Amino acid sequence: SLWYSADEINELFSLLNKQDHKLYLPVVLASYYGLRREEVLGLKWRAIDFTHKTISINFSVVSYFGYNEELGKSKTEVVEKDELKTDSSERLYPLLPEVERLLIREKEKQNFFREYLANTYCLEDSDYVCLHESGLREITFHDLRHSCASLLLKLGFGMKEIQEWLGHSSFQTTAKTYAHVDPGSKKNIAKSIASAITL
């Protein structure tokens, strides 16, 4: 079948909870309330009434894949929507005690990260229940490989060493991809030349 049994859902909860996985709360919300992905992502703290023990579903966040003119490449864009799919999509749920405990824990965690990360904390989306704590630029997983190579280059390792470290089959691949020299390196080169050669 295309759905989990109660035992399978409980097993999923257990696995995600043990790992303190960031998907734990979204999976719990979707499983208990039958929320769509965009409704889970659109859930805001102001939609949760801890006094009257209710959760209002009235926002959604959707993403679409399209061509970004500015970047000159395809990119996934995230769009906040104030209205839901239909009028019947807007609904009010009782706040279950199990879910309330998780939400309180999430709020405490967000408050900790807001204080701990200070100016790198992403305030732009801070009203959302499910969010990224850091305001770092989004990059692809593969971009971490490029980050490693760029760091090795900046640390003074040669192209041959970087080629072997990355497992490139040819020196040309490494040189073509990472042969750029950043402005900081150019300043260091200029200083080195100036100290080696005097007028």
Side-chain angles (χ1 to χ4, degrees), residues 3-117:
W3 51 85
Y4 278 167
S5 67
D7 288 340
E8 290 170 318
I9 289 174
N10 286 329
E11 186 178 344
L12 178 61
F13 286 174
S14 177
L15 289 170
L16 294 174
N17 187 27
K18 278 182 199 167
Q19 298 172 18
D20 196 23
H21 200 283
K22 69 178 181 178
L23 287 178
Y24 182 49
L25 180 58
V27 166
V28 166
L29 290 167
S31 299
Y32 272 104
Y33 295 112
L35 301 181
R36 297 174 181 92
R37 180 181 62 181
E38 60 266 21
E39 292 170 339
V40 170
L41 296 177
L43 186 62
K44 297 186 176 189
W45 286 111
R46 63 177 176 242
I48 299 165
D49 186 338
F50 289 103
T51 305
H52 297 100
K53 309 289 185 201
T54 60
I55 296 180
S56 301
I57 306 303
N58 44 23
F59 294 100
S60 68
V61 170
V62 295
S63 60
Y64 68 92
F65 188 74
Y67 188 77
N68 185 307
E69 294 286 335
E70 191 175 306
L71 294 176
K73 65 179 183 178
S74 295
K75 185 177 189 281
T76 301
E77 300 285 339
V78 176
V79 179
E80 177 183 347
K81 292 172 64 176
D82 284 335
E83 71 275 345
L84 294 172
K85 200 172 184 179
T86 63
D87 287 342
S88 61
S89 294
E90 213 165 292
R91 51 214 190 272
L92 185 69
Y93 288 112
L95 179 58
L96 299 167
E98 300 85 351
V99 176
E100 182 178 14
R101 280 193 299 276
L102 286 179
L103 289 168
I104 289 169
R105 189 173 86 183
E106 180 63 24
K107 189 67 169 164
E108 288 169 353
K109 188 164 74 172
Q110 287 181 16
N111 289 338
F112 168 79
F113 278 117
R114 181 179 288 118
E115 188 175 314
Y116 181 75
L117 296 173

Side-chain angles (χ1 to χ4, degrees), residues 108-198:
E108 288 169 353
K109 188 164 74 172
Q110 287 181 16
N111 289 338
F112 168 79
F113 278 117
R114 181 179 288 118
E115 188 175 314
Y116 181 75
L117 296 173
N119 62 347
T120 62
Y121 187 84
C122 185
L123 290 173
E124 181 180 314
D125 300 326
S126 62
D127 191 35
Y128 288 102
V129 173
C130 302
L131 50 76
H132 297 290
E133 286 85 13
S134 172
L136 290 171
R137 290 180 301 109
E138 286 187 25
I139 62 171
T140 66
F141 190 83
H142 189 75
D143 288 336
L144 292 173
R145 180 174 166 82
H146 295 307
S147 301
C148 175
S150 180
L151 179 60
L152 291 173
L153 189 63
K154 192 169 190 150
L155 290 172
F157 290 96
M159 286 294 174
K160 185 68 179 164
E161 293 168 303
I162 296 171
Q163 172 200 346
E164 289 178 14
W165 187 261
L166 295 176
H168 282 156
S169 58
S170 74
F171 180 83
Q172 287 77 17
T173 303
T174 309
K176 184 171 67 176
T177 308
Y178 303 109
H180 64 282
V181 180
D182 66 65
S185 296
K186 287 182 181 177
K187 285 180 185 174
N188 288 338
I189 291 169
K191 284 180 187 174
S192 296
I193 290 174
S195 66
I197 302 170
T198 57

